[in-house]
Amino acid sequence: MQITEVRLRHLNMDLVAPFTTSFGTFVDKEFILVEVKNGEGLSGWAESVAFSAPWYNEETIKTNWTMLEDFLIPLVLDKEIEHPRDVSDMFSHIRKNNMAKSAIEGAIWDLYAKEKNIPLSMALGGELEKIDVGISIGIQKTVPELLAKIEAGLKDGYKRIKMKIQPGWDVDVIREVRNRYPDIPIMADANSAYRLKDIELLKQLDQFDLMMIEQPLSSDDIVDHATLQAEIKTPICLDESIHSVEDARKALELGSCKIINIKIGRVGGLTEAMKIHELCKERNVPVWCGGMLESGVGRAHNIALTTLDNFTMPGDTAASANYWHKDIIQPEVTVYDGVITVPKAAGIGYEVDYTAVDEFTSYSKRYTNK
Ligand SMILES: O=C(O)CCC(=O)c1ccccc1C(=O)O
Ligand SMILES: [Mg+2]
């Protein structure tokens, strides 16, 4: 396959409600949408999940744009690409910048699947036709507001409730949630808000029968997490700490976690995500697909990846309407009883709505060698 043109667009979409994590609050989502074209009029799509500020990882929209423009696009434009799985090797001499790499690699996977006229899920080797999803609920101002959000999530049928925690919004809040809902699957995501010195507090979480605690300690740590995991019963799930299959191997060998959250952008693309999935499958470690408040395009990629058979825990890919007044794909992602039916159309399986894309685009740029 050959990419003859790349188009980057900068979009900004308002969230239906603010989303607060231990590192900050989102009221809208700025992101880069990548479109790669071949000579036959087909387009492949993906989005960068980098945020406007470097508060989840070191990447930002601007660093991603620069990496794409200066390094990554020139490496793929007009090059003969035998298979999208080769793209990550073409980028291997460029350090880090995983979200930038993933944005173009994902678009090439979509284009490849469209050229073959098969769904992206099939191109990845995924077989599930329906996937289970949960919902991620941000830090709220009050416990009643949190309980109301949980109630709504349960009513929509989401298969598990993830609540964000941070110092001051943790043990007491989870206790109230547990008292109100003794049996539901709950997990907590700290986004690296604690340190090993908080171990006594973290041990208290064991009483609530949580499915897991996600990324309690530093975003670059796997050593202290191993110490913590040895001291608590609740499974630790790593998110921020895992950037590659090598990171995953080391974390599993150290005993730093029992579950891994796979985010395509964080690990540099679908090919690396599949490698982590494979490693975890060999070692009987369950994985699930994390979310980054994606538009429908990123959501579609998450859905395709989740069709691989070791994605045995519900992911964060909730319905479009949970985030957006209007999404940029047709149809939007819908969830019934906590289940998404995997689309069967070619590529990402949803049509990108150019009118909606234009509405949210503040600037764009075309790259060709001509
Ligand atoms: O609903 C989603 O897309 C996931 C929400 C979420 O938990 C999240 C949102 C923004 C940044 C990091 C995270 C995370 O999983 O840690
Ligand atoms: Mg997380």
Side-chain angles (χ1 to χ4, degrees), residues 56 162 164 189 191 214-215 239-240 261 263 288:
Y56 169 84
K162 160 163 145 184
K164 294 287 193 181
D189 185 0
N191 288 109
E214 186 178 343
Q215 196 71 38
D239 174 355
E240 282 89 332
N261 163 343
K263 288 182 180 168
W288 55 277

Side-chain angles (χ1 to χ4, degrees), residues 9-20:
R9 293 177 174 85
H10 177 280
L11 277 76
N12 193 348
M13 291 164 66
D14 288 335
L15 285 162
V16 295
F19 188 87
T20 299

Side-chain angles (χ1 to χ4, degrees), residues 18 146 194-195 280 321:
L146 174 63
Y194 300 89
R195 296 294 175 264
C280 290

Side-chain angles (χ1 to χ4, degrees), residues 171-185:
V171 176
D172 293 342
V173 177
I174 299 176
R175 181 177 295 113
E176 294 203 49
V177 172
R178 227 351 146 210
N179 285 342
R180 174 73 184 76
Y181 300 103
D183 301 318
I184 63 167

